[in-house]
Amino acid sequence: MGYVWDFFAVARNADILLAGLGQTLLLSVCGIAVGVAIGGVLAAMRLSGRRTLSWPALAFTEFYRNTPPLVHFFWFFYGLPMAFGLTLPPFAAALAALGVQSAAFFAEVFRGGILSVETGQWEAGRALGMGRARLMRRIILPQAARRMAAPFVERSFELVKTTTLAAALAFHETIYSAMVIVTQTYRPLEVYTVVAGLFFIVLFSASQVAEWLEARGRRAGAR
């Protein structure tokens, strides 16, 4: 006997699912912001040429890039109260976990983009008497930014999908909201199919915007 699909069960609980999607987007935006801020500092430390700065930054990035993100969620939500008596609400714990993990990847994106700029560009800037800060701002970063764009967007999309792990902390994002609906409707196939569709719509739309901005940047750079 074939399975009878019933998406009306999901439609009747659309408010719960959309509220969860809103929390997913909020967590994603905040996680990217934290990751960019910390990742920028880590990249600067890696590029400083000082071992006292570059080695701790390297240790941080390699550790968080090579350990499971779910473990980070558990550390911040369950580990901090047990080890230090510091209790974070689910949103803060999920944000901290996403922030440190995304920072490790963003740091490598930023560092790789800067290092990809040809040595001649650095030498030309110095020949014009530019200091390091002005050289970075006027010559290096504009070129590096175009090369960072694609990997940065890719890592940002991965972060959005990683927010689903926050369901393990009982944070009411999209997956946790879907789990609530499943317990009420007993329609897991329909619910999770709709969830997949929502993520596809959000990320595909964002990818189209990113490609348009990237193409616009290339045209502006060619002038």
Side-chain angles (χ1 to χ4, degrees):
M1 185 175 180
Y3 183 78
V4 178
W5 294 81
D6 180 14
F7 285 99
F8 288 106
V10 184
R12 287 191 293 269
N13 295 278
D15 56 334
I16 299 175
L17 201 55
L18 292 177
L21 179 62
Q23 291 298 300
T24 291
L25 296 177
L26 176 62
L27 182 59
S28 299
V29 171
C30 292
I32 291 170
V34 171
V36 167
I38 300 176
V41 173
L42 291 171
M45 292 171 66
R46 292 288 308 277
L47 294 168
S48 67
R50 300 179 181 179
R51 292 183 179 181
T52 54
L53 295 177
S54 62
W55 285 11
L58 175 62
F60 183 99
T61 56
E62 291 303 319
F63 179 80
Y64 281 105
R65 287 173 64 201
N66 295 290
T67 50
L70 184 58
V71 174
H72 309 155
F73 281 80
F74 287 155
W75 278 343
F76 283 104
F77 191 67
Y78 298 110
L80 286 181
M82 291 188 290
F84 304 103
L86 176 61
T87 301
L88 296 179
F91 179 84
L95 178 58
L98 286 171
V100 295
Q101 198 218 16
S102 62
F105 285 98
F106 286 149
E108 290 303 292
V109 171
F110 299 155
R111 188 178 73 92
I114 292 171
L115 291 177
S116 70
V117 178
E118 292 78 5
T119 306
Q121 298 293 322
W122 293 85
E123 295 173 348
R126 294 191 186 99
L128 293 173
M130 291 185 179
R132 182 178 177 85
R134 188 182 177 195
L135 176 60
M136 288 288 290
R137 186 176 67 254
R138 298 289 297 275
I139 297 179
I140 304 303
L141 288 181
Q143 297 182 58
R146 290 192 289 271
R147 303 177 188 189
M148 297 176 195
F152 178 83
V153 170
E154 181 182 352
R155 289 311 316 173
S156 297
F157 286 4
E158 288 298 319
L159 182 144
V160 174
K161 290 182 282 188
T162 304
T163 61
T164 57
L165 297 178
L169 312 184
F171 176 63
H172 288 247
E173 46 71 63
T174 309
I175 290 296
Y176 188 86
S177 299
M179 293 165 61
V180 171
I181 297 174
V182 168
T183 61
Q184 297 174 356
T185 63
Y186 300 101
R187 289 285 177 175
L189 289 180
E190 291 89 337
V191 172
Y192 290 118
T193 299
V194 171
V195 167
L198 289 174
F199 270 87
F200 175 79
I201 291 170
V202 169
L203 295 179
F204 181 75
S205 301
S207 70
Q208 296 305 298
V209 173
E211 288 180 9
W212 177 77
L213 291 174
E214 185 178 358
R216 184 179 179 183
R218 285 197 300 268
R219 289 193 298 269
R223 292 173 184 173

